[in-house]
Amino acid sequence: MESPLPLHVCHVNNLPVILNKLHAFLHCIAIAFLIYYRASYLLQETRAISIIPWLLVFASELLLSFIWLLGRAYLWRPVSRTVFPERLPEDDKLPAIDVFICTADPEKEPTFGVMNTVLSAMALDYPADKLHVYLSDDGGSPITLRGMREAFRFAKWWIPFCRRYRIKTICPQAYFSEAESDENFGDSEFGTEKRKIKEKYEMFEEQVMKAVEDGEYGNSRNHSTIIEIIQDTSGENETIRQADLVEMPLLVYVSREKSPEHLHHFKGGALNVLLRVSGVISNSPYILGLDCDMYCNDPTSARQAMCFHLDPKTSSSLAFVQFPQKFHNFNEHDIYDGSLRSGYRLQWPGMDGLKGPFLTGTGHYIKRESLYGNFKHKGIDLAELKDTFGESNLFIKSLHQSYEHKNVNGENFSNVLQQETEVLASCSYEHQTKWGEEVGFSYQSVSEDFFTGFILHCKGWTSTYLDPSRPQFLGTSTTNLNDVLIQGIRWASGLIDVSISRFCPLLYGPSRMSLLLSMCYGEISLFPLLYFLPLWCFATLPQLCLLNGIPLYPEVSSPFFMVFSFIFLSAICKHLQEVISTGGSIYTWRNEQRIWMIKSVTSHFYGSMDAILKLLGLRKASFLPTNKVLDNEQVKRYEMGQFDFQTSSVFLVPMVSLMILNVAALVCGVIRMIAVGNWDKLFAQVLLSLYILITNFAIVEGMIVRKDKGRISPSAILLSSLFFVTFLFFGSTILI
C-alpha cells in the first residue's frame, strides 16, 4: 500500500549554512586575538593610561562578543517549508478552530480597524460551523460591543460575497481601499455585487463611526463581566437572497471583570479568560491568536496551518504553527525597521531548524492541549484538577476532547452557560489556582507570548514556522519615533523580566532543550541588556579619552590594529550580506544600524531598568498598548523618509547628548592629530566617532538643518547641551 502524499516538505539550503559557519569560525579567531591583546595589557606591571576606561571598554567588547556568539545559533540550520493544503481531508473531517482577538483601548486601537480584523477572521476559508471568533475587550467599552453587532450584520453580506467569488483579500477595509485584481470576474453580475457590497460596507463604516462619536469609552479599570454571543436581530435576512444565506461563524464578545483591587496580568490574563470561556462554549482543539490590528490577509492560513497539525508524524508534539508578522503601512525607506526583517527573515527560519521558533503575540495556530500542561491525563483526581484550573466543573469537563456544546448560538445560550462563563471571566476565579504559572498563558513577563513559547519548548513541545509568498496576516507598524521607542521599552522590559528570573534561558533551558535552542532564547531575552551597556560605553568612553588625548586602541602600525579592523568590518559586512540576501538594500542596512543604536541607548536602557526595578519591588508591572491612530503629518514625514522627533525629552536627551559628544570628540581628535602628530594612536577613536555621526546623521540634521515641526526642539538641544557639559566634567574627572 502506497504511503499518503506529505502535507508539507522542509527545505535546507546547505551553502549558506557552510558560509555562515566559516564566517563564525574566522570571527571567533579574531575575537580570541582581541581578548589576548586586552588581557596582556592588564597583566603589564606599568601602564600608560588609567585602567578604568580600559577595563570598561574590554568588558563592553566581551559583552558584544558574547551576544554575537549566542546569535550564531540562528544561522546553524535555517530551513524553509512548503505546504500542500489541497491534500487535507474533507471539510467534515477538519478540526474546529477558535480565533482569539484582543483589544484594550478604543482610543489607541480604533474600533473600526478592530472590526475589520474580526470580519477578516470570520471570512477565513474554513467550515463555518468549525470557526468561532472571540473578541476580548479589556476596555469594557460599549463602543466596541456595538461595533461587534454592526460587524456581524455586515458579515452576513461580506462572507457570502467572499466565498462566492473566491476573494483573496478578505479584510473589507483592505479590499475596498486597494486596487483589487478582478480580471477573472469581468461579468456585470460581479460588478453589480461588488458595488452593492461596497454600499453595505460604507453603511457599516458610518454606523461604527457614529457609535464612536456618540458612545462612551467606559471604565477600563473597573467594570463587570459582559459576555454576549453576537447575533443579528434586525430582521435583515429577508433582503439577502436565498443563495447567499450561508452558515455564519460563531462570534462572541468577552469583556472580563476588572477591579482596581485585583491583578489582571494584562494581555496574558485576557487570553486565559478567552481560553476558559471558549472552553465551555466551543472548545476547539486549535486556537488562532491575533492582535486587534493584524487582519487576515489570505483566507487559506487555517488550512496551511492544519498541514502541520494534522501530520501524523509531527502532530503529537507540535504546539503551534507561527506565521510572520507583516505590515501594510511601511515603505521602502522603513526608517524605524518596522518590518522586523532580522527576526522574520533570519531568526525565525533559523530556530525552525532547531525544533521551532518563538511564539509571537499574533499569527499563530496553537494547540489548546499544549496550554493545559500535564493535567489532562487520566488518573488525576478532581481535587487536583480544581486546584489547578479552578472550581468550574463545566470547564474541568471541557478538558476532555470529547466535550463539546452543540450548536451554541445567541438563541440557545442558556442562562446556566451564561452564568458559568461570567464566573470564568471574574476577577477572583484564578485565585489559588495555577493559571499563569503551570497552565494557560504565562504571567511571568509582560511578554507573555515569548515566555509561554519558551516554557512549551522546555516541556518538549515543538513549533513550526511558515512564511508563504503571500502574507497571511497584515498589521499596522509604528511609523513615528515616539511609538517605536515606547513599544521598544515594553518589549525590552518583558524580555529582561525573563532573563533575570530563575527561568533565564541560558540556565533553565539547556537541561530541557538543545543547547542551540537555548542560545537562541538566551540571545533574544538578553539582547536589550547586552546591547545598551556596550553601546553606551562605545558612544562615550572612547570619545572622553579622545578629548583627553588618551588612546584606547592599537596604533595603526600595530598588527593588532588589523584584528580590531577585521572584527569591525566582519560584523558590518555580515550584516550587509544578510540584508541584501533577504531582499534589502544598503539603505535598509543603514537604517537598521541607526535604529539599533538609537534603541540601545534609549528603549533598551529604560526597558532593562524597568525590569530590574520590578525585580527589586520598586516598580509595578505596567502595559501600554501601542498607539494605532495615525497622524497625517507624521505619516507624511515617514513617507518622505524623515525622522519625527516629536517625542519625550527622556528619549531625545540621550540621543542628542551623544551626538554633541561625538561631534566634539571628532573635531578635537582631528585637531589633536594635526597639531600633535600622533594620528596613528588616535585614528581608531576618530574613526569610531565619524562612523557614529555618519550613521546617525538624521539626528544631527534634526538638530541643525530641519525647521519643520518634526525637528528636535531648541529646548531639548539646550537640555542635552547641559547634560553633555555635566557628563564631560564628571566623566573626565572619574574615569580619566
Side-chain angles (χ1 to χ4, degrees), residues 169-360:
T169 304
I170 54 176
C171 173
Q173 187 175 29
Y175 179 77
F176 289 116
S177 63
E178 297 177 1
E180 178 77 7
S181 178
D182 294 325
E183 61 268 14
N184 295 330
F185 307 104
D187 55 65
S188 58
E189 181 185 359
F190 171 76
T192 302
E193 282 296 305
K194 184 175 179 179
R195 285 190 293 272
K196 182 178 180 180
I197 298 300
K198 188 172 184 179
E199 290 176 1
K200 295 291 183 182
Y201 170 74
E202 291 171 348
M203 291 173 58
F204 158 63
E205 181 179 12
E206 182 181 343
Q207 290 298 317
V208 174
M209 292 304 181
K210 184 179 179 182
V212 173
E213 293 175 2
D214 299 341
E216 297 180 0
Y217 286 109
N219 188 339
S220 62
R221 298 185 60 198
N222 191 3
H223 57 80
S224 59
T225 302
I226 302 175
I227 298 177
E228 180 177 321
I229 293 183
I230 306 299
Q231 56 182 333
D232 185 12
T233 58
S234 66
E236 201 175 37
N237 286 350
E238 299 175 0
T239 65
I240 302 176
R241 63 183 181 179
Q242 192 67 29
D244 286 343
L245 285 173
V246 298
E247 187 173 0
M248 297 285 288
L250 185 72
L251 182 61
V252 184
Y253 172 87
V254 179
S255 179
R256 57 176 172 153
E257 181 187 12
K258 295 184 78 174
S259 170
E261 289 79 30
H262 292 81
L263 292 174
H264 302 291
H265 305 291
F266 314 112
K267 185 179 177 182
L271 287 169
N272 283 337
V273 167
L274 289 182
L275 196 60
R276 295 193 295 270
V277 170
S278 66
V280 300
I281 294 178
S282 53
N283 200 38
S284 299
Y286 299 100
I287 297 166
L288 166 60
L290 289 177
D291 281 344
C292 65
D293 66 323
M294 185 68 63
Y295 63 80
C296 301
N297 186 58
D298 187 276
T300 65
S301 66
R303 294 181 184 271
Q304 293 186 53
M306 289 304 115
C307 289
F308 298 100
H309 279 302
L310 299 184
D311 182 354
K313 296 179 181 179
T314 60
S315 61
S316 61
S317 62
L318 181 64
F320 60 90
V321 177
Q322 180 67 60
F323 289 89
Q325 293 187 52
K326 296 190 176 181
F327 307 97
H328 61 81
N329 66 325
F330 73 88
N331 59 12
E332 69 275 8
H333 300 293
D334 195 17
I335 55 176
Y336 303 121
D337 188 28
S339 64
L340 305 175
R341 180 205 59 83
S342 177
Y344 292 114
R345 300 299 295 276
L346 292 173
Q347 294 176 336
W348 268 247
M351 291 190 72
D352 198 16
L354 306 171
K355 298 296 185 182
F358 311 123
L359 179 70
T360 57

Side-chain angles (χ1 to χ4, degrees), residues 391-557:
E391 292 294 325
S392 172
N393 291 323
L394 191 59
F395 179 77
I396 291 174
K397 184 179 178 181
S398 76
L399 297 177
H400 302 287
Q401 292 183 351
S402 58
Y403 172 87
E404 183 180 0
H405 265 294
K406 299 292 184 181
N407 302 319
V408 174
N409 56 43
E411 296 176 357
N412 61 14
F413 189 41
S414 66
N415 290 333
V416 173
L417 189 56
Q418 174 80 47
Q419 293 173 4
E420 192 72 21
T421 56
E422 290 179 358
V423 169
L424 291 168
S426 65
C427 290
S428 58
Y429 183 80
E430 293 184 355
H431 288 183
Q432 297 182 340
T433 69
K434 296 179 181 178
W435 282 100
E437 297 177 7
E438 297 184 38
V439 295
F441 290 87
S442 174
Y443 298 156
Q444 174 69 27
S445 165
V446 292
S447 296
E448 79 294 324
D449 48 357
F450 169 81
F451 187 70
T452 300
F454 173 65
I455 293 299
L456 290 176
H457 278 121
C458 287
K459 291 179 178 179
W461 292 95
T462 62
S463 58
T464 293
Y465 180 66
L466 184 62
D467 186 8
S469 57
R470 177 180 172 86
Q472 299 300 292
F473 306 97
L474 284 176
T476 304
S477 177
T478 47
T479 56
N480 66 80
L481 186 61
N482 185 65
D483 290 344
V484 168
L485 298 182
I486 290 175
Q487 183 185 67
I489 291 176
R490 188 176 74 237
W491 289 353
S493 178
L495 294 172
I496 299 300
D497 281 342
V498 178
S499 65
I500 61 178
S501 72
R502 68 184 182 91
F503 296 102
C504 176
L506 296 180
L507 301 176
Y508 189 82
S511 62
R512 296 169 175 84
M513 61 175 71
S514 71
L515 176 61
L516 289 172
L517 193 58
S518 296
M519 289 171 63
C520 292
Y521 271 107
E523 194 275 344
I524 199 69
S525 66
L526 283 168
F527 84 86
L529 186 65
L530 297 190
Y531 276 147
F532 100 74
L533 289 169
L535 264 68
W536 262 104
C537 176
F538 287 131
T540 56
L541 279 181
Q543 291 74 9
L544 283 174
C545 291
L546 182 58
L547 288 168
N548 289 273
I550 300 172
L552 287 177
Y553 296 97
E555 299 178 4
V556 175
S557 57

Side-chain angles (χ1 to χ4, degrees), residues 24 29 117 125 151 174 199 217 227 331 367 371 524 537 576 665 705-706 716:
I29 292 175
T117 300
D125 178 21
E199 290 176 1
Y217 286 109
I227 298 177
N331 59 12
K367 185 181 295 180
L371 296 169
I524 199 69
C537 176
L576 180 60
V705 180
R706 288 172 55 184

